[in-house]
Amino acid sequence: MFENRYEITRKLYADWARRPVLLTGRRRIPLLPVLVAVGCGVMLVRSVLDGRWGYGAMFALLLVLTAFRVFFYLPLMAAQQYRRMLAQWGVDAWHRTVEFGAEKITVHDAAAQAEKTYDQVKEVRDQGGWLAVIFDGGTVVRLDKTGFFKDGEAVPCEAFLAFFRDACPQAAFS
């Protein structure tokens, strides 16, 4: 049957953290940090105009912390999680193999294995050089479009998609 192989590096893991596969479809702007930033900006300007430098400094600090939370927190958390996995598995990068058997889909990582069935596939999304397979319950498995093999021979992504459409008629393909 089909197989997908690729290596997960720190750079790839960080890229996935910055661009997650969203179950709702599109990325929304977080409302609370935007409201906090607007409020801090208004209060900062007002404090500076009134000559209250202490309050101005406090609102400037809140504005910087809010910007940090919005733009830098997620990549830092991803890097920390990646370091934990490296410490646990003892490798710098690991190979992932996703096997598509007759009855089930098996994901092999460095020290983990997961199994899913074809009827659990909810959606398949094209994401540039990757395919995102979304299962019931929100589990996402990414597949490298250049990493498909069948019986040890490299095959194009289109051959896999033809097979997968037949195996998962209930899934939405986009």
Side-chain angles (χ1 to χ4, degrees), residues 5-76:
R5 301 181 215 149
Y6 56 92
E7 183 178 55
I8 299 175
T9 61
R10 179 185 182 105
K11 182 180 176 186
L12 179 61
Y13 195 84
D15 185 54
W16 286 356
R18 281 188 206 94
R19 294 183 196 95
V21 176
L22 302 173
L23 302 179
T24 58
R26 65 182 198 106
R27 191 174 205 140
R28 298 182 317 181
I29 296 173
L31 183 62
L32 184 60
V34 169
L35 291 176
V36 170
V38 168
C40 286
V42 167
M43 294 306 290
L44 172 65
V45 169
R46 188 170 178 194
S47 298
V48 169
L49 291 177
D50 288 345
R52 297 181 180 166
W53 300 106
Y55 287 116
M58 180 184 69
F59 288 118
L61 179 64
L62 282 173
L63 192 60
V64 167
L65 290 174
T66 302
F68 170 80
R69 173 64 176 97
V70 170
F71 296 109
F72 300 108
Y73 181 74
L74 190 59
L76 286 176

Side-chain angles (χ1 to χ4, degrees), residues 77-95:
M77 293 308 300
Q80 185 179 38
Q81 183 177 357
Y82 182 83
R83 281 192 299 274
R84 273 191 242 124
M85 286 192 295
L86 292 181
Q88 178 184 0
W89 293 346
V91 294
D92 282 341
W94 62 92
H95 294 279

